[in-house]
Amino acid sequence: AVLPFEHLGQPEDAYITDGLTDEIRGKLSSVPGLQVIARGSSNEYRRTSKSPRAIASELGVRYLLTGTVRSEPATPQHAARLRVSPELVEVAEGGAPVTRWQQPFDADVSDVFAMQADIAGKVAGAMNVALGGDAQAQLAEAPTRSAEAYDAFLRGEAESSAMGSREPKALRRALDHYTRAVAI
């Protein structure tokens, strides 16, 4: 189960964390041999105080992928950056939850696609899932060549999921972001 990553940056940048979590979940679900719990089920655990054992038991899984994301805005000296700290936790029966893999990532926002692929590949490796050439290529595939278009798309996703997609103003804002993403 890929649990919602915790956003540690500015509140207005939380959409980046949600998009990163969703993209990693999507990449992992494309790996042959892995079954990933649906987003609707795992999103219930956003900001939960439940233990890893309780979450794993409720979802019927052995592994939980959690993480934190900190976004840093661009400055005149450097581009906008993301600092991601994912952790793969194994919850075996009868034992304490154990970290199977953890590695911090620090990259320019323009390198977010490579970071997502790297995280998904390392998670699969930590779970002893062999990645063939097709799976490696699929993990490395970027949804777009433009980080700016991807940012607009993620903003649209955040707006459309706000208020359960029922608020007309939120839907108009989402449409504006999607239109901008397509234009870019």
Side-chain angles (χ1 to χ4, degrees), residues 6 8 11 21 32 47 50 57 65 67 71 78 99 102-103 119 129 141 149 157 166-167 169 171:
E6 181 183 357
L8 301 178
T21 304
R47 293 182 212 78
K50 291 185 178 184
S57 175
L65 181 62
S71 55
H78 63 79
T99 298
Q102 191 279 329
Q103 178 181 341
I119 291 170
V129 174
E141 188 175 308
E157 290 289 279
R166 294 189 177 112
E167 173 64 39
K169 288 181 183 180
L171 290 174

mmCIF file of all heavy atoms in Angstrom, residues 6 8 11 21 32 47 50 57 65 67 71 78 99 102-103 119 129 141 149 157 166-167 169 171:
data_model
loop_
_atom_site.group_PDB
_atom_site.id
_atom_site.type_symbol
_atom_site.label_atom_id
_atom_site.label_comp_id
_atom_site.label_asym_id
_atom_site.label_seq_id
_atom_site.Cartn_x
_atom_site.Cartn_y
_atom_site.Cartn_z
ATOM 1 N N GLU A 6 3.490 12.581 3.485
ATOM 2 C CA GLU A 6 3.260 13.744 4.336
ATOM 3 C C GLU A 6 3.932 14.961 3.726
ATOM 4 O O GLU A 6 5.122 14.930 3.394
ATOM 5 C CB GLU A 6 3.823 13.470 5.735
ATOM 6 C CG GLU A 6 3.616 14.591 6.701
ATOM 7 C CD GLU A 6 4.256 14.317 8.060
ATOM 8 O OE1 GLU A 6 4.812 13.226 8.264
ATOM 9 O OE2 GLU A 6 4.192 15.204 8.909
ATOM 10 N N LEU A 8 5.576 18.515 3.996
ATOM 11 C CA LEU A 8 6.253 19.303 5.024
ATOM 12 C C LEU A 8 6.543 20.728 4.578
ATOM 13 O O LEU A 8 7.124 21.500 5.323
ATOM 14 C CB LEU A 8 7.576 18.629 5.426
ATOM 15 C CG LEU A 8 7.472 17.209 5.970
ATOM 16 C CD1 LEU A 8 8.859 16.656 6.267
ATOM 17 C CD2 LEU A 8 6.585 17.164 7.205
ATOM 18 N N PRO A 11 1.740 25.067 2.689
ATOM 19 C CA PRO A 11 0.440 24.441 2.431
ATOM 20 C C PRO A 11 -0.025 24.562 0.979
ATOM 21 O O PRO A 11 -0.631 23.638 0.441
ATOM 22 C CB PRO A 11 -0.513 25.191 3.368
ATOM 23 C CG PRO A 11 0.354 25.726 4.453
ATOM 24 C CD PRO A 11 1.687 26.007 3.812
ATOM 25 N N THR A 21 2.863 11.190 -4.865
ATOM 26 C CA THR A 21 2.367 9.933 -4.295
ATOM 27 C C THR A 21 1.587 9.145 -5.338
ATOM 28 O O THR A 21 1.801 7.937 -5.508
ATOM 29 C CB THR A 21 1.482 10.201 -3.063
ATOM 30 O OG1 THR A 21 2.203 10.972 -2.104
ATOM 31 C CG2 THR A 21 1.015 8.909 -2.432
ATOM 32 N N PRO A 32 5.009 -5.852 -13.108
ATOM 33 C CA PRO A 32 4.502 -7.235 -13.023
ATOM 34 C C PRO A 32 4.947 -7.882 -11.706
ATOM 35 O O PRO A 32 6.087 -7.724 -11.277
ATOM 36 C CB PRO A 32 5.164 -7.931 -14.214
ATOM 37 C CG PRO A 32 5.540 -6.829 -15.154
ATOM 38 C CD PRO A 32 5.858 -5.636 -14.282
ATOM 39 N N ARG A 47 -2.706 11.400 7.408
ATOM 40 C CA ARG A 47 -2.569 11.967 8.751
ATOM 41 C C ARG A 47 -3.157 11.075 9.846
ATOM 42 O O ARG A 47 -3.687 11.547 10.841
ATOM 43 C CB ARG A 47 -3.211 13.353 8.826
ATOM 44 C CG ARG A 47 -2.504 14.409 7.996
ATOM 45 C CD ARG A 47 -3.184 15.763 8.176
ATOM 46 N NE ARG A 47 -3.127 16.603 7.023
ATOM 47 C CZ ARG A 47 -3.892 16.497 5.923
ATOM 48 N NH1 ARG A 47 -4.792 15.567 5.840
ATOM 49 N NH2 ARG A 47 -3.764 17.330 4.926
ATOM 50 N N LYS A 50 -2.881 5.744 13.373
ATOM 51 C CA LYS A 50 -2.850 4.280 13.475
ATOM 52 C C LYS A 50 -1.432 3.766 13.254
ATOM 53 O O LYS A 50 -0.653 4.336 12.493
ATOM 54 C CB LYS A 50 -3.786 3.645 12.451
ATOM 55 C CG LYS A 50 -5.241 3.896 12.756
ATOM 56 C CD LYS A 50 -6.133 3.162 11.790
ATOM 57 C CE LYS A 50 -7.589 3.391 12.163
ATOM 58 N NZ LYS A 50 -8.495 2.622 11.315
ATOM 59 N N SER A 57 -2.875 -4.542 8.620
ATOM 60 C CA SER A 57 -3.917 -5.528 8.902
ATOM 61 C C SER A 57 -5.235 -5.133 8.243
ATOM 62 O O SER A 57 -5.904 -5.957 7.621
ATOM 63 C CB SER A 57 -4.088 -5.665 10.417
ATOM 64 O OG SER A 57 -5.161 -6.525 10.710
ATOM 65 N N LEU A 65 4.385 1.758 1.898
ATOM 66 C CA LEU A 65 5.317 2.792 1.452
ATOM 67 C C LEU A 65 4.800 4.114 1.988
ATOM 68 O O LEU A 65 3.671 4.515 1.694
ATOM 69 C CB LEU A 65 5.420 2.842 -0.074
ATOM 70 C CG LEU A 65 6.398 3.892 -0.619
ATOM 71 C CD1 LEU A 65 7.836 3.603 -0.159
ATOM 72 C CD2 LEU A 65 6.323 3.956 -2.138
ATOM 73 N N GLY A 67 6.174 8.268 3.273
ATOM 74 C CA GLY A 67 7.223 9.221 2.941
ATOM 75 C C GLY A 67 6.850 10.630 3.335
ATOM 76 O O GLY A 67 5.708 10.925 3.685
ATOM 77 N N SER A 71 8.880 20.760 -0.411
ATOM 78 C CA SER A 71 9.139 21.520 -1.633
ATOM 79 C C SER A 71 9.785 22.844 -1.246
ATOM 80 O O SER A 71 9.418 23.447 -0.240
ATOM 81 C CB SER A 71 7.845 21.752 -2.403
ATOM 82 O OG SER A 71 6.890 22.378 -1.589
ATOM 83 N N HIS A 78 18.927 29.137 -7.374
ATOM 84 C CA HIS A 78 18.667 27.752 -7.774
ATOM 85 C C HIS A 78 17.201 27.538 -8.137
ATOM 86 O O HIS A 78 16.314 28.289 -7.709
ATOM 87 C CB HIS A 78 19.107 26.758 -6.689
ATOM 88 C CG HIS A 78 18.388 26.868 -5.386
ATOM 89 N ND1 HIS A 78 17.137 26.345 -5.182
ATOM 90 C CD2 HIS A 78 18.739 27.451 -4.211
ATOM 91 C CE1 HIS A 78 16.747 26.587 -3.939
ATOM 92 N NE2 HIS A 78 17.685 27.265 -3.331
ATOM 93 N N THR A 99 11.898 -1.435 8.717
ATOM 94 C CA THR A 99 12.212 -0.660 7.519
ATOM 95 C C THR A 99 13.028 -1.541 6.591
ATOM 96 O O THR A 99 14.102 -2.014 6.947
ATOM 97 C CB THR A 99 13.009 0.611 7.865
ATOM 98 O OG1 THR A 99 12.193 1.437 8.704
ATOM 99 C CG2 THR A 99 13.408 1.373 6.616
ATOM 100 N N GLN A 102 14.952 2.754 2.804
ATOM 101 C CA GLN A 102 14.709 4.172 3.012
ATOM 102 C C GLN A 102 15.869 4.912 2.373
ATOM 103 O O GLN A 102 17.033 4.512 2.517
ATOM 104 C CB GLN A 102 14.625 4.499 4.502
ATOM 105 C CG GLN A 102 14.109 5.894 4.828
ATOM 106 C CD GLN A 102 15.141 6.994 4.720
ATOM 107 O OE1 GLN A 102 16.336 6.794 4.958
ATOM 108 N NE2 GLN A 102 14.688 8.161 4.333
ATOM 109 N N GLN A 103 15.567 5.941 1.639
ATOM 110 C CA GLN A 103 16.619 6.731 0.996
ATOM 111 C C GLN A 103 16.085 8.121 0.709
ATOM 112 O O GLN A 103 15.027 8.264 0.101
ATOM 113 C CB GLN A 103 17.043 6.072 -0.316
ATOM 114 C CG GLN A 103 18.097 6.845 -1.072
ATOM 115 C CD GLN A 103 18.468 6.177 -2.380
ATOM 116 O OE1 GLN A 103 18.214 4.994 -2.584
ATOM 117 N NE2 GLN A 103 19.076 6.926 -3.271
ATOM 118 N N ILE A 119 12.444 5.980 -7.325
ATOM 119 C CA ILE A 119 11.814 5.516 -6.092
ATOM 120 C C ILE A 119 11.052 4.210 -6.343
ATOM 121 O O ILE A 119 11.214 3.237 -5.613
ATOM 122 C CB ILE A 119 10.882 6.594 -5.502
ATOM 123 C CG1 ILE A 119 11.710 7.772 -4.975
ATOM 124 C CG2 ILE A 119 9.998 6.007 -4.389
ATOM 125 C CD1 ILE A 119 10.889 8.994 -4.594
ATOM 126 N N VAL A 129 11.470 -7.901 -6.271
ATOM 127 C CA VAL A 129 10.765 -8.058 -7.531
ATOM 128 C C VAL A 129 11.746 -7.696 -8.646
ATOM 129 O O VAL A 129 12.244 -6.574 -8.697
ATOM 130 C CB VAL A 129 9.521 -7.145 -7.604
ATOM 131 C CG1 VAL A 129 8.875 -7.217 -8.980
ATOM 132 C CG2 VAL A 129 8.528 -7.528 -6.516
ATOM 133 N N GLU A 141 9.322 5.964 -18.082
ATOM 134 C CA GLU A 141 8.492 6.777 -18.982
ATOM 135 C C GLU A 141 7.903 7.973 -18.236
ATOM 136 O O GLU A 141 7.276 7.833 -17.192
ATOM 137 C CB GLU A 141 7.374 5.915 -19.555
ATOM 138 C CG GLU A 141 6.586 6.597 -20.647
ATOM 139 C CD GLU A 141 5.584 5.638 -21.240
ATOM 140 O OE1 GLU A 141 5.968 4.528 -21.633
ATOM 141 O OE2 GLU A 141 4.398 6.026 -21.292
ATOM 142 N N ALA A 149 4.111 21.953 -17.564
ATOM 143 C CA ALA A 149 2.815 21.358 -17.920
ATOM 144 C C ALA A 149 2.368 20.391 -16.834
ATOM 145 O O ALA A 149 1.184 20.347 -16.471
ATOM 146 C CB ALA A 149 2.901 20.645 -19.265
ATOM 147 N N GLU A 157 -5.581 18.656 -10.909
ATOM 148 C CA GLU A 157 -5.996 17.480 -10.138
ATOM 149 C C GLU A 157 -6.378 17.876 -8.716
ATOM 150 O O GLU A 157 -7.369 17.395 -8.175
ATOM 151 C CB GLU A 157 -4.868 16.446 -10.099
ATOM 152 C CG GLU A 157 -4.599 15.775 -11.423
ATOM 153 C CD GLU A 157 -5.705 14.815 -11.809
ATOM 154 O OE1 GLU A 157 -5.710 13.676 -11.320
ATOM 155 O OE2 GLU A 157 -6.577 15.235 -12.592
ATOM 156 N N ARG A 166 -17.430 18.817 -6.687
ATOM 157 C CA ARG A 166 -18.818 19.292 -6.790
ATOM 158 C C ARG A 166 -18.911 20.818 -6.760
ATOM 159 O O ARG A 166 -19.962 21.364 -7.046
ATOM 160 C CB ARG A 166 -19.649 18.702 -5.655
ATOM 161 C CG ARG A 166 -19.785 17.207 -5.787
ATOM 162 C CD ARG A 166 -20.787 16.661 -4.804
ATOM 163 N NE ARG A 166 -20.920 15.237 -5.035
ATOM 164 C CZ ARG A 166 -20.521 14.321 -4.180
ATOM 165 N NH1 ARG A 166 -19.993 14.671 -3.040
ATOM 166 N NH2 ARG A 166 -20.663 13.052 -4.459
ATOM 167 N N GLU A 167 -17.876 21.475 -6.400
ATOM 168 C CA GLU A 167 -17.886 22.926 -6.281
ATOM 169 C C GLU A 167 -17.602 23.539 -7.662
ATOM 170 O O GLU A 167 -16.510 23.357 -8.202
ATOM 171 C CB GLU A 167 -16.830 23.361 -5.265
ATOM 172 C CG GLU A 167 -16.619 24.838 -5.153
ATOM 173 C CD GLU A 167 -17.857 25.561 -4.633
ATOM 174 O OE1 GLU A 167 -18.526 25.020 -3.728
ATOM 175 O OE2 GLU A 167 -18.137 26.647 -5.134
ATOM 176 N N LYS A 169 -16.838 26.512 -8.710
ATOM 177 C CA LYS A 169 -15.654 27.381 -8.785
ATOM 178 C C LYS A 169 -14.371 26.556 -8.823
ATOM 179 O O LYS A 169 -13.447 26.866 -9.562
ATOM 180 C CB LYS A 169 -15.625 28.361 -7.608
ATOM 181 C CG LYS A 169 -16.665 29.441 -7.718
ATOM 182 C CD LYS A 169 -16.578 30.401 -6.538
ATOM 183 C CE LYS A 169 -17.685 31.433 -6.636
ATOM 184 N NZ LYS A 169 -17.643 32.376 -5.520
ATOM 185 N N LEU A 171 -14.113 23.510 -9.929
ATOM 186 C CA LEU A 171 -14.060 22.848 -11.237
ATOM 187 C C LEU A 171 -13.598 23.818 -12.331
ATOM 188 O O LEU A 171 -12.848 23.433 -13.232
ATOM 189 C CB LEU A 171 -15.414 22.247 -11.591
ATOM 190 C CG LEU A 171 -15.811 21.030 -10.748
ATOM 191 C CD1 LEU A 171 -17.236 20.606 -11.071
ATOM 192 C CD2 LEU A 171 -14.846 19.889 -10.964
#
